[in-house]
Amino acid sequence: ETGVTQTPRHLVMGMTNKKSLKCEQHLGHNAMYWYKQSAKKPLELMFVYSLEERVENNSVPSRFSPECPNSSHLFLHLHTLQPEDSALYLCASSPTIDYDGYTFGSGTRLTVV
Amino acid sequence: LAKTTQPISMDSYEGQEVNITCSHNNIATNDYITWYQQFPSQGPRFIIQGYKTKVTNEVASLFIPADRKSSTLSLPRVSLSDTAVYYCLVGPRNTGGFKTIFGAGTRLFVKA
């Protein structure tokens, strides 16, 4: 257990579905992140939150919608995804946005059919 | 952010010391060097971070020469469970929006 918990671990969804990924950390960290890892590609930063406010959005398509209701929880809402969105989605947290000692969750393996 | 270059893959045997070198010729004055380890279907795990000279923890050592244009992650006496992808990252801290860019990493295979 890394301290960052992601659910579900696996998700299969159709292109017309709406689903949400959940991330939870009880490390007392103030910053949380969503990363995407496609097969044979480096991790791509998607969203950054600091104290529940979004501070970074790397031109991610609007079919991905993040939500950070508090400093311990982060969601990624998914709708009308494409097959190329199939990937491992990783959540991470760090004490502050200025410190890069990230703690990652185990990820959600998403398959879009 | 400074670009990093690592070997794509490395092989080793159990009990050996493994050294993975990362090149970062364009490292900036305020950049730190961080290494992560990732097992299949898991998130990366922080291993070690340094700025200059040598840093050691219970897992690994990080050697950084004076010019800081490269760094070497040293894993003492590897075991089969050390088979993973190792990422070298270079970037500044205290930027109020720090962004970590992961490269392709080095895939380490430890054989019996």
Side-chain angles (χ1 to χ4, degrees):
Chain A
E1 185 59 51
T2 66
V4 176
T5 303
Q6 290 187 242
T7 54
R9 289 298 308 274
H10 301 275
L11 177 63
V12 179
M13 59 185 289
M15 290 189 284
T16 59
N17 290 158
K18 290 184 179 181
K19 296 287 185 182
S20 295
L21 309 184
K22 179 182 176 181
C23 177
E24 185 174 355
Q25 59 93 7
H26 295 289
L27 300 170
H29 290 174
N30 289 327
M32 297 187 76
Y33 313 79
W34 279 116
Y35 279 85
K36 174 185 178 182
Q37 187 172 34
S38 303
K40 300 182 179 180
K41 288 186 178 181
L43 278 78
E44 303 171 54
L45 179 66
M46 299 176 72
F47 300 103
V48 180
Y49 276 83
S50 177
L51 296 172
E52 303 149 46
E53 290 191 12
R54 188 191 305 180
V55 296
E56 183 76 39
N57 177 355
N58 276 4
S59 301
V60 179
S62 59
R63 57 185 183 270
F64 295 92
S65 176
E67 178 189 3
C68 189
N70 54 62
S71 59
S72 298
H73 294 86
L74 186 65
F75 294 89
L76 187 62
H77 304 299
L78 316 170
H79 64 97
T80 60
L81 295 191
Q82 304 298 312
E84 58 265 28
D85 296 322
S86 299
L88 181 67
Y89 288 84
L90 292 160
C91 174
S93 70
S94 62
T96 72
I97 200 170
D98 296 331
Y99 175 68
D100 65 338
Y102 300 136
T103 300
F104 281 85
S106 296
T108 294
R109 173 69 63 186
L110 173 67
T111 302
V112 181
V113 297
Chain B
L1 296 175
K3 180 181 178 180
T4 60
T5 302
Q6 303 174 235
I8 295 175
S9 65
M10 295 180 66
D11 290 342
S12 182
Y13 289 92
E14 284 189 291
Q16 290 187 333
E17 178 185 72
V18 171
N19 296 310
I20 305 174
T21 298
C22 179
S23 297
H24 28 80
N25 292 321
N26 297 322
I27 190 169
T29 302
N30 57 344
D31 283 345
Y32 282 74
I33 301 157
T34 312
W35 285 81
Y36 285 81
Q37 173 193 56
Q38 185 179 25
F39 298 113
S41 296
Q42 292 188 28
R45 181 176 74 106
F46 175 91
I47 299 176
I48 198 166
Q49 183 181 73
Y51 183 79
K52 62 180 179 180
T53 63
K54 177 183 175 182
V55 180
T56 298
N57 61 24
E58 65 278 5
V59 177
S61 294
L62 178 59
F63 297 91
I64 305 170
D67 66 5
R68 305 200 326 123
K69 293 184 181 300
S70 67
S71 59
T72 299
L73 174 71
S74 181
L75 305 173
R77 298 179 297 281
V78 295
S79 63
L80 296 176
S81 62
D82 291 317
T83 294
V85 178
Y86 292 83
Y87 297 96
C88 165
L89 287 76
V90 173
R93 296 172 62 175
N94 304 317
T95 59
F98 179 85
K99 180 169 62 178
T100 301
I101 297 179
F102 286 78
T106 297
R107 191 171 298 273
L108 173 66
F109 294 97
V110 179
K111 306 173 185 178

